[in-house]
Amino acid sequence: MTMPQQALGRIQWGDLTFGPGTPYTVTGLDGLDDLPEIRSDDLERPQQHGDYTGPDFTGPRTVQLKLGIRGETPDDLRRLTLALRAATQPGERPAQLQFLDQGALVWAKVRRRSLPYAAEYLWRIGDAALELYCADPYVYGLEEKAAWTAAYSPSAGRTYPLVYGSATPLARNVVLNPSAEVDLSNTLVYSFADRERITTDARYGKASIRHTATSGGTFSGTRYTIESTAAGAVVTASAWVKTDGTGTTCFFAFRSASATLDVVSVGTPPTGQWTRVSTQYTVPAGQTMTEVCIAYNGPVGAVWLADAMMVEPGAVLHDYIDGDQPGCTWETTPHASPSRLHPTTGRSYGAQGTSGRVTAVNEGAADAYPVLRLDGPVANPAIEQVTTGGSLVLDATIQANEYLIIDTRSRAVLLMGSSPRRSWVRAGSVWPVLKPGTNELAYRGSALPGAADQSSLLTVTWRDTSL
């Protein structure tokens, strides 16, 4: 989670980033922390002082952003101005205006843009002003959170703790801390790089490692500690990377405790998108491998991200796993031991002994409206807001391989994400919202004939929400 800070930091709009480290300096911001105009429901008291007051609601939010543009030459200044103009065209739908270092976003449309021409600053300095209209006034957390649980049914509940049917995993990742979800323990810097753990961009979970090259024409990377692997063993190594395109190639380095055994190039990944790179390697005779590195060759200042390192015994490349992924466990200490994918489950079914219950924490200051996904088979499903009371009950049957999307804000109920089924909502139902703080939801339903082992799943997604 991104820690709150007063410094505004970086702002992302489409493909453009404003703020520190960019040619677009943020010189002013209005409307993000301000309360939008109140739409009141007050009535005058006849022949008395004062009003009868009703509930207050807010109107839309307006965010005003002032920028300073700093080019290296007049032509560079013009290029930056045209890029800003192209990125701030009128749009049909709101888009995310992301405040990366504050961990917040709003849904906005550009309504006004000012790019004044100032002759005395033609060499390399310019100014810009943007006005963005947010029909939805809420300020949301940058991270979309999720939690899930299986349905509880008196006739078909699950038994906990979950017992796996085989000791042989479907896949195994021998990297001790592959994803930086908690910290950078069991990893070391590789060659010429500054490293930091970030929570603003990740391929899996919420965190990744950002590298900045500190020496030109060489490489930067991370050394991951793995379970000791003996001579003759074949392993498959993979990692997800996202580069800025200023460098050339990515490569894996296979190491013993004190030396590099071999280096294998995996080519040049596409720029600006998460890409999985992989290779196979056989540990040489007389050697023991204890580390695998992922690195990127680029100039001073080259920036790239790494996430989801996986080293698995054998020559088969599986989907990435770690102990936090559904159906997986850590072999001993979380984020400090190998992980395995078990053969009898591909889902996580909530905390042991609490089947049918899920906890959702809204760290904002206003009600959050979750999106609910129900996967069948289940009959007459119900979602209860245990914390505040009230249930949303559906008079419906969802078959195996079917799912239902429920948007609690728009109150859309969509079978397979597209076919309206609003009529399934039972009269008197209460639509669940997530109050600020900790919320507990309960998911209940009846098993279908022939489906005694209840496998229906409720997935709740939400963002921290404030006004």
Side-chain angles (χ1 to χ4, degrees):
M1 173 183 159
T2 302
M3 295 300 294
Q5 57 178 349
Q6 184 61 23
L8 183 63
R10 297 164 298 143
I11 301 175
Q12 185 81 32
W13 174 256
D15 293 330
L16 288 186
T17 303
F18 312 135
T22 78
Y24 301 99
T25 303
V26 180
T27 60
L29 174 70
D30 292 317
L32 179 64
D33 292 328
D34 300 339
L35 185 67
E37 183 177 348
I38 294 294
R39 189 175 68 244
S40 65
D41 196 16
D42 302 332
L43 296 174
E44 293 183 0
R45 296 185 181 217
Q47 300 179 348
Q48 298 182 57
H49 298 292
D51 287 345
Y52 293 108
T53 186
D56 289 345
F57 299 96
T58 67
R61 180 182 300 276
T62 300
V63 176
Q64 295 179 328
L65 189 62
K66 296 180 180 179
L67 303 174
I69 309 175
R70 303 294 182 264
E72 297 296 330
T73 65
D75 290 343
D76 188 43
L77 176 62
R78 184 56 179 165
R79 177 186 65 82
L80 294 170
T81 301
L82 293 177
L84 180 60
R85 187 179 74 179
T88 53
Q89 297 293 309
E92 292 184 11
R93 298 179 180 84
Q96 290 186 6
L97 178 64
Q98 300 180 352
F99 299 86
L100 300 178
D101 297 314
Q102 292 196 338
L105 67 85
V106 293
W107 290 92
K109 299 170 72 173
V110 175
R111 284 291 170 87
R112 296 186 65 186
R113 176 186 66 222
S114 174
L115 293 169
Y117 177 88
E120 64 269 30
Y121 297 134
L122 275 182
W123 173 244
R124 64 183 187 91
I125 299 175
D127 294 302
L130 304 175
E131 183 176 282
L132 299 108
Y133 165 77
C134 307
D136 177 356
Y138 287 107
V139 178
Y140 296 100
L142 196 61
E143 174 191 359
E144 184 176 67
K145 299 180 177 180
W148 50 86
T149 183
Y152 169 78
S153 170
S155 61
R158 288 190 177 273
T159 301
Y160 287 85
L162 187 63
V163 177
Y164 299 103
S166 171
T168 303
L170 292 178
R172 189 166 180 263
N173 186 358
V174 301
V175 182
L176 302 192
N177 186 13
S179 63
E181 285 300 286
V182 173
D183 54 32
L184 297 181
S185 60
N186 290 303
T187 72
L188 294 169
V189 66
Y190 185 51
S191 193
F192 303 97
D194 286 335
R195 295 190 313 156
E196 61 177 328
R197 174 182 174 270
I198 65 169
T199 57
T200 55
D201 194 357
R203 178 58 180 83
Y204 287 91
K206 64 182 180 182
S208 64
I209 303 175
R210 180 163 61 199
H211 305 77
T212 302
T214 57
S215 180
T218 183
F219 48 86
S220 58
T222 290
R223 295 159 50 186
Y224 292 82
T225 302
I226 68 169
E227 179 183 73
S228 182
T229 305
V234 176
V235 298
T236 300
S238 62
W240 286 86
V241 299
K242 186 176 183 180
T243 73
D244 62 4
T246 60
T248 54
T249 60
C250 280
F251 61 87
F252 288 95
F254 300 92
R255 292 175 52 87
S256 66
S258 59
T260 297
L261 304 176
D262 202 355
V263 173
V264 179
S265 173
V266 288
T268 303
T271 301
Q273 66 185 55
W274 283 106
T275 304
R276 193 182 194 189
V277 293
S278 64
T279 190
Q280 292 179 14
Y281 182 68
T282 302
V283 182
Q287 299 290 346
T288 299
M289 185 170 66
T290 59
E291 293 179 349
V292 175
C293 316
I294 182 67
Y296 181 55
N297 195 340
V300 173
V303 177
W304 69 284
L305 309 180
D307 193 13
M309 170 65 83
M310 185 164 174
V311 178
E312 48 188 320
V316 178
L317 177 65
H318 294 95
D319 288 341
Y320 170 75
I321 67 165
D322 64 41
D324 287 348
Q325 302 299 310
C328 303
T329 59
W330 300 97
E331 293 187 356
T332 53
T333 305
H335 305 286
S337 68
S339 313
R340 58 177 60 202
L341 172 65
H342 296 278
T344 58
T345 179
R347 290 174 173 171
S348 175
Y349 291 101
Q352 294 180 358
T354 59
S355 177
R357 298 272 179 132
V358 65
T359 298
V361 180
N362 173 14
E363 298 186 55
D367 291 351
Y369 293 86
V371 175
L372 312 173
R373 172 172 169 148
L374 280 58
D375 285 270
V378 66
N380 302 320
I383 301 98
E384 178 186 357
Q385 221 301 11
V386 178
T387 308
T388 60
S391 294
L392 177 65
V393 183
L394 303 174
D395 293 319
T397 296
I398 305 173
Q399 301 292 339
N401 300 317
E402 291 184 340
Y403 66 90
L404 193 70
I405 298 294
I406 303 172
D407 187 330
T408 59
R409 180 154 196 204
S410 66
R411 301 196 172 179
V413 180
L414 303 173
L415 181 64
M416 305 303 287
S418 58
S419 301
R421 293 294 186 271
R422 181 68 171 77
S423 61
W424 285 359
V425 178
R426 182 179 297 178
S429 289
V430 177
W431 295 79
V433 296
L434 304 182
K435 296 293 183 179
T438 301
N439 299 262
E440 187 174 17
L441 303 180
Y443 180 39
R444 309 184 188 281
S446 301
L448 302 186
D453 183 17
Q454 178 64 267
S455 58
S456 181
L457 188 73
L458 166 69
T459 304
V460 184
T461 57
W462 75 98
R463 294 180 188 268
D464 298 334
T465 304
S466 297
L467 275 173

